[in-house]
Amino acid sequence: MTIVLNDTVRQLLDSPHPAVLSTLNPDGSPQSSVVWVIREGDDLLVSTERGRRKERNLVRDGRVGLTVFDLANPYLYAEIRGTATISEDTGRAVAVRIAEQYLGPGAGKEYGDASDGAVRVVVRITPSKVLGNAAKA
């Protein structure tokens, strides 16, 4: 079933609000990370490094939750549940796009620098359920 995000949820995701990404550790306990997120259609994209706990968790179990809220009005929020897939961030293009949404045009240059040798991956979240008061707006 395809979930279509409403305009309020889209506006939250299109603004530079930090989000909390929750995955499942091997023992079933939750693992949460503050992340930057962008939207591509109704899918959500997060950039991370290969080998980080959230990436390892998602490779093993793609179930994910992401909560985003308006910094000026923290009671306006959306919790998005879904499944995630992982792919390599070729040329770090997604990392740069995300950094520029949060930091401004041209600010993503350092995120595009691969000289550190780290492999960046894209976490693509396909929503299956949207909760919170932004989802009802």
Side-chain angles (χ1 to χ4, degrees):
M1 180 171 138
T2 302
I3 297 293
V4 176
L5 303 175
N6 71 26
D7 288 340
T8 304
V9 173
R10 286 175 178 236
Q11 288 172 358
L12 270 175
L13 292 165
D14 291 345
S15 299
H17 299 300
V20 177
L21 178 72
S22 297
T23 65
L24 295 171
N25 284 315
D27 66 0
S29 64
Q31 185 274 332
S32 297
S33 302
V34 176
V35 298
W36 291 346
V37 61
I38 60 172
R39 187 175 57 80
E40 190 170 88
D42 288 320
D43 283 352
L44 314 179
L45 305 179
V46 172
S47 176
T48 191
E49 288 182 12
R50 179 165 286 144
R52 291 221 172 144
R53 170 55 61 192
K54 61 183 156 280
E55 186 261 353
R56 294 192 324 261
N57 283 347
L58 290 169
V59 166
R60 191 191 71 263
D61 184 338
R63 292 178 293 170
V64 65
L66 184 131
T67 300
V68 62
F69 62 92
D70 186 329
L71 290 169
N73 177 11
Y75 296 105
L76 179 62
Y77 74 96
E79 177 193 351
I80 300 161
R81 298 178 188 171
T83 55
T85 57
I86 307 289
S87 61
E88 188 168 332
D89 188 359
T90 307
R92 295 184 171 201
V94 173
V96 169
R97 278 179 47 207
I98 293 171
E100 290 186 350
Q101 176 171 309
Y102 280 80
L103 301 174
K109 183 178 178 183
E110 72 179 85
Y111 290 88
D113 180 10
S115 64
D116 62 3
V119 176
R120 294 212 63 95
V121 295
V122 177
V123 177
R124 177 178 293 273
I125 301 166
T126 302
S128 58
K129 186 168 192 137
V130 181
L131 304 162
N133 59 8
K136 299 171 186 170

